[in-house]
């Protein structure tokens, strides 16, 4: 079945460092891929998405490219800020064949802490 | 624009007590609705989803149930809470019509003592 694997956390970086959070997936067909961010005590917010191979999603300085050949969707940011401290979830969409529902399959999350 | 509400925001309940968490969506019709649980420091576990009024699919057999009495209302319930029911409960929706981006509510933090 479909699955998402993302790098274990926590990840601790200094402000202005380069960030990479790895995400790989297993899926049949052509799912959409997502990164969600969860700030402390809050629900998840969509950070970016890509719907087909070679698409690049970007938002708030974060980027991720849909790589079908490596089944990856790694999250990157060139210069992180303290305000980027949060938990990041990689996810993919998968249709439920017997209903009209879409199911989003999430990775286990990566906690990111940025030191001033 | 669409918004999603959850209440209560925080709840502390004794073991064996009942539970009712509510989720409502505004600004859309016929959404797909989802309940997730997030245990402390863990990922998301999909509990239930619904494609329409009265239609509930359960992902994990457990102590909880869900109902959808109205198009934009999704309720998570339990008759008797267990300690293991503690966690952060998130409601989410996806619009109808082929879109696959999921939007989340602010969550309810449940502590069972």
């Amino acid at each position: 079945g479909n699955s998402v694997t993302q790098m274990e956390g926590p990840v601790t970086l200094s402000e202005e460092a380069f960030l990479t959070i790895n995400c790989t997936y297993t899926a049949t067909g052509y799912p959409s891929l997502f990164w969600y961010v969860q700030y402390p005590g809050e629900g998840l917010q969509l950070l970016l998405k890509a719907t087909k191979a070679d698409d690049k999603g970007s938002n708030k300085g974060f980027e991720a490219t849909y790589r079908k050949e490596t089944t990856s969707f790694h999250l990157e940011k060139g210069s992180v800020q303290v305000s980027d401290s949060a938990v990041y979830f990689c996810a993919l969409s998968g249709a439920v064949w017997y209903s009209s529902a879409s199911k989003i399959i999430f990775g286990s999350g990566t906690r990111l802490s940025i030191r001033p | 624009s669409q918004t999603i509400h959850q209440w209560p925001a925080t709840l502390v309940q004794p073991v064996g007590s009942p539970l009712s968490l509510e989720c409502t969506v505004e600004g859309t019709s016929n959404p797909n609705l989802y309940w997730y649980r997030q245990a402390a420091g863990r990922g998301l576990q999909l509990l239930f989803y619904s494609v329409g009024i009265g239609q509930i699919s359960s992902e994990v057999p457990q102590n909880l149930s869900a109902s959808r009495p109205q198009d934009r209302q999704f309720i998570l319930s339990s008759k008797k809470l267990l300690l293991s029911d503690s966690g952060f409960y998130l409601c989410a929706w996806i619009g109808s019509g082929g879109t696959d981006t999921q939007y989340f509510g602010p969550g309810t933090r449940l502590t069972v003592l």
Side-chain angles (χ1 to χ4, degrees), chain A residues 32 36 38 49 102-103, chain B residues 34 38 49 59 100-102:
Chain A
S32 294
Y36 283 84
Q38 184 179 32
K49 68 180 284 189
S102 290
K103 287 176 62 174
Chain B
Y34 303 78
Q38 186 178 27
Y49 67 92
E59 286 293 296
D100 58 6
T101 301
Q102 198 166 54

Side-chain angles (χ1 to χ4, degrees), chain B residues 92-105:
Chain B
W93 70 275
I94 291 177
S96 58
T99 178
D100 58 6
T101 301
Q102 198 166 54
Y103 298 95
F104 284 81

Side-chain angles (χ1 to χ4, degrees), chain A residues 31-32 34 36 38 41-46 49 51 89 93 96 98-104 106-109 111, chain B residues 32 34 36 38 41-44 46 49-51 57 59 88 90 94 98-107 109:
Chain A
S32 294
F34 308 85
Y36 283 84
Q38 184 179 32
E42 298 183 8
L44 275 69
Q45 302 175 25
L46 178 66
K49 68 180 284 189
T51 58
F89 291 90
S93 67
V96 180
Y98 52 84
S99 80
S100 62
S102 290
K103 287 176 62 174
I104 308 297
F106 288 88
S108 56
R111 182 173 301 278
Chain B
N32 292 336
Y34 303 78
Y36 291 87
Q38 186 178 27
R42 304 287 296 276
L44 295 167
L46 178 62
Y49 67 92
S50 171
V51 300
S57 296
E59 286 293 296
F88 193 46
L90 291 161
I94 291 177
T99 178
D100 58 6
T101 301
Q102 198 166 54
Y103 298 95
F104 284 81
R109 183 160 304 284

Side-chain angles (χ1 to χ4, degrees), chain A residues 38-115:
Chain A
Q38 184 179 32
Y39 299 103
E42 298 183 8
L44 275 69
Q45 302 175 25
L46 178 66
L47 181 60
L48 54 85
K49 68 180 284 189
T51 58
K52 61 184 187 297
D54 300 324
D55 264 4
K56 177 185 285 187
S58 61
N59 185 25
K60 300 181 181 179
F62 291 89
E63 294 183 341
T65 301
Y66 190 142
R67 302 283 189 202
K68 192 162 179 62
E69 64 276 11
T70 54
T71 62
S72 65
F73 193 54
H74 304 320
L75 183 68
E76 297 181 337
K77 186 173 184 182
S79 176
V80 292
Q81 306 300 313
V82 172
S83 57
D84 294 327
S85 298
V87 180
Y88 292 80
F89 291 90
C90 185
L92 66 80
S93 67
V96 180
W97 65 270
Y98 52 84
S99 80
S100 62
S102 290
K103 287 176 62 174
I104 308 297
I105 297 167
F106 288 88
S108 56
T110 301
R111 182 173 301 278
L112 173 66
S113 295
I114 307 300
R115 295 187 299 252

Side-chain angles (χ1 to χ4, degrees), chain B residues 37-79:
Chain B
R37 177 169 60 202
Q38 186 178 27
R42 304 287 296 276
L44 295 167
Q45 179 186 30
L46 178 62
L47 302 176
F48 301 95
Y49 67 92
S50 171
V51 300
I53 296 173
Q55 300 178 64
I56 308 295
S57 296
S58 174
E59 286 293 296
V60 182
Q62 57 198 313
N63 187 42
L64 302 169
S65 62
S67 62
R68 185 168 176 177
Q70 300 180 42
D71 181 45
R72 289 169 287 178
Q73 185 185 31
F74 203 23
I75 296 172
L76 184 69
S77 303
S78 174
K79 292 182 179 178

